[in-house]
Structures are given as structure tokens and as C-alpha cells.
Amino acid sequence: ASLVAAGRDPLERVVVLRRTGMIVAAGLVALAVSLVLYLPVLEYQGQSIRGAAGTGGGAAFEYATSWSLSWPEFATQWWPATAGYGRGPYVGQMPFTDYPNYIGLPLLLLAIAGAVQRRDRFSWALVGLVAFTTLVALGSNFFLYRLLYELLPGFKKFRVPVMILAVQQLAIILLAARGLDELVLERVRVPRALLGVIATLGLFGLLAGTVAAGPVREAVMGSLESMARGFGRPAPPAAALMEAAHIATADALRLGAVLLGSVFVLVAAHTRRIPVVAAVALIGLMVFVDLWRVDQPLLHPEGRLSHVGRGPNGLVVAPSQSLIAEANALQVYSEESELARWLKQQDARPRVLPLGGFEVDNRLAAQGIVSLGGYHAAKLKLY
């Protein structure tokens, strides 16, 4: 569009062409740097179950769309515990997941403000990107993914439709920044009715996370059991559902505080009670706290989320270990063990099929031993 608009002015056309050339050159350099990742993948794809399954060298459609965002899970983007959060309490359509696809109600509200207040080409492009990537993330639950899968070359090499939400979230963040600029820096007048709605939602969240926490937890557990039945999967044990219910009430309390705090900051900024820089910093801090708190059950599942597995008498829960390891854990993991020393004594380069607890452990490979065990996401087609 810029090239067409600059076509009538030779000087402007030269500037646009020079900038376009720099962007192309940067893209070529980026491609050259990234070939260290892409070339091995291209060589390996025909040997893996992902690149070799299905027709045309792509993964079968059912396999490719296993991790689709279902319509009931759509609300995880602003209410993290909609489908149980992840790990043990998860009851959604995907085979399993460790976390919700959360962007946050504060960011979403700011993004809506950015789209409404700045209706220029850049905002429309971002809104279109949000809509497109969200519909693609639905995978098998919406026809768009199937069209791309059948018609777009190379698209069927990918799976996990929800991963495209990373692009959606980037667009929402850019819109939210524009919304924050309009509401705080430009002091665009926010309708009192809208402020009242946000404040009401905030009060509801505070009540749901405090005095009404008990009934809310019971309602959450019932909702999760119903969702599990709707997707034809067994409901997790009550202990795991209660963990998700506790996360839900904590989310309600936090979101209520953030929404009410945002209303106070906006009113104070518009009435010049606090400096603009302070208002931006406070809203940024509240958004950070919101996202940081949602991350904690994922990073530190111990005491918050249990693993759910099958025992002789059905589903059982087991405590989770922290995903954040101490620095010395790497040294312990990679140092040569007695087993590794013994194997190297038998052969200069031993090849082993590990059993007895080592089937999905990469430790032997870390100690320089060729292993047919361990875990890799793209398994071999022929073994």
C-alpha cells in the first residue's frame, strides 16, 4: 500500500524502496541464521511420525488438531480456571495440557479501548490478526483450520492449533498499549456507564473470592464435572477439582482487585489527582501482577496442582514436583553415574534400550550413552 501511495512522488518512492530493501535484507539474514534449526528439521521430517503420517507427507487431520481450542474453553483467555487450569484438574477437549491460554481481562479491556479509540489501518490490521488467529486456534471446532490444512502448502506439517494464540496475544498486547495511550496519556473520556460496569465486575470478583468463596468453589467443581462429561472423559478426583476451585476463587479475588484498582487509577488520572507517568506505571504493575499470579501454579505446581493418573481402583492423584530446579540439579543430572561407568566399560560406545524406570528418562543420553529410550516429541516412524 505504501509503494502504491508513493508511486506518484519519485523521492518518496526511493525512500519506500530503500526501506523495503532493508526489510528484505534483514529477512534474508534472519533466514540464514535460523537455518541451523530448519535444515535438520527438513531432513528429519520424513522419518518422524509427524512428518510421515497421513497423506501428502503431513500429519493426519485428527492428530494435527488434537490440541484445538474448544468453544467451552474459549473463556480461559480471561478466566484461567474455566477448564480446570491444567495438569490434574484439566477437563477440556485436549488430550492434556499444563496451563490455560490466558491473556487476561485487564489486557483485553485495554485492547478493546485501543481498537475503539484508534480506528486507523494499524488497529484494523491488529483486530483482523486477532480474529484470524483465534479462529485458527479453534482447529477442528471451526472450518477455517480445515481449509488451511487442505489448501495452504506446508500447513499440514504443523499441529497444536492453540499455539497460534501466541500471535493473537502479541496483537492484543499492541492494541492494549494503544488503548493505554488513549485512556491515560491522551485522557480520552471514558463513559461513566463503562466505568460502572468494570467496577461492578470488580466488586463481584472480590465477593466471589472472599465471602462467597465456598459456594463459588462448589459451583466451579460442578461446572468442571459437567464439562468433563460433555467431552466424554472421566472427571478428575474430587481432590484435584478442589485444587482448581481454589485457583478459581483466587483468580476472582485478584481480578476484582485489579479491575477496581484500574477504575480508581483512570479516574485519578483524568481528574489530575496523580501524574500520567504514575498512572501508566500503576496499570502496568497491575497487569504484571495479574499475569504473574496466573503463572505460579504452572511454575510451582507443588501444593497447588496434583498429577492425576490411573491406579488399580481408577483415577488417583499424586503430588506434583516443582518445574523450577535448583542450579546444582543440572550437575547432578549430567554427572557420570555408576551405571554409566559400567556401561562404558563394556563397550567404547554402548547402545542401550533402557528399562526399569529409564524408559522416558534422557539421563543416559546426557552422560554420552546412545539410548533408544528417553523422550522426544517427534518419534521415529520406523524403530
Side-chain angles (χ1 to χ4, degrees), residues 38-349:
Y38 290 136
L39 289 179
V41 171
L42 290 173
E43 182 181 0
Y44 177 69
Q45 67 179 5
Q47 309 299 326
S48 76
I49 60 172
R50 295 184 180 177
T55 59
F61 183 77
E62 294 76 14
Y63 179 73
T65 56
S66 295
W67 274 265
S68 298
L69 182 68
S70 66
W71 290 105
E73 293 177 79
F74 202 85
T76 57
Q77 295 175 93
W78 56 82
W79 188 258
T82 300
Y85 189 95
R87 287 185 173 258
Y90 178 70
V91 296
Q93 182 184 19
M94 293 181 275
F96 61 85
T97 187
D98 281 336
Y99 52 86
N101 293 285
Y102 181 73
I103 185 65
L105 192 57
L107 274 177
L108 285 172
L109 291 173
L110 286 173
I112 292 172
V116 171
Q117 297 296 335
R118 287 193 179 178
R119 284 174 274 186
D120 53 17
R121 284 189 301 177
F122 187 54
S123 284
W124 285 120
L126 291 175
V127 170
L129 186 59
V130 170
F132 175 76
T133 51
T134 303
L135 294 176
V136 172
L138 290 169
S140 59
N141 299 303
F142 193 71
F143 69 90
L144 179 59
Y145 192 95
R146 185 84 199 200
L147 287 178
L148 297 173
Y149 181 86
E150 298 292 348
L151 302 177
L152 185 62
F155 189 81
K156 60 177 61 177
K157 296 290 186 183
F158 298 91
R159 65 173 199 134
V160 190
V162 293
M163 290 183 69
I164 202 172
L165 290 177
V167 181
Q168 177 230 53
Q169 291 158 4
L170 174 61
I172 289 175
I173 289 168
L174 292 173
L175 282 170
R178 292 162 73 85
L180 184 62
D181 183 47
E182 288 291 315
L183 294 179
V184 179
L185 298 182
E186 301 297 331
R187 288 193 174 92
V188 173
R189 185 176 180 275
V190 184
R192 290 185 179 181
L194 179 59
L195 288 177
V197 170
I198 297 175
T200 301
L201 288 174
L203 287 172
F204 177 79
L206 290 180
L207 292 174
T210 53
V211 296
V216 168
R217 291 190 189 110
E218 292 180 6
V220 169
M221 293 178 68
S223 174
L224 295 178
E225 289 179 344
S226 298
M227 186 179 292
R229 287 194 299 270
F231 287 119
R233 61 192 302 162
L241 293 179
M242 180 56 74
E243 291 172 342
H246 278 284
I247 290 176
T249 52
D251 289 338
L253 181 61
R254 183 189 67 256
L255 281 171
V258 168
L259 292 176
L260 280 177
S262 299
V263 170
F264 286 126
V265 170
L266 285 176
V267 172
H270 279 247
T271 56
R272 304 182 185 275
R273 301 285 179 86
I274 60 174
V276 168
V277 174
V280 172
L282 286 172
I283 291 178
L285 178 62
M286 286 187 285
V287 169
F288 168 78
V289 169
D290 179 50
L291 296 174
W292 177 71
R293 290 300 302 171
V294 172
D295 284 343
Q296 293 311 297
L298 168 64
L299 299 177
H300 296 283
E302 66 279 11
R304 290 187 176 95
L305 290 171
S306 299
H307 275 292
V308 174
R310 290 193 176 276
N313 300 317
L315 294 177
V316 295
V317 295
S320 296
Q321 301 297 319
S322 175
L323 297 183
I324 307 299
E326 297 294 334
N328 61 358
L330 176 61
Q331 180 180 354
V332 173
Y333 183 83
S334 59
E335 67 184 7
E336 192 173 73
S337 64
E338 182 179 351
L339 173 61
R341 285 194 296 270
W342 182 85
L343 288 171
K344 290 178 180 179
Q345 290 171 1
Q346 312 309 309
D347 190 275
R349 187 159 174 77

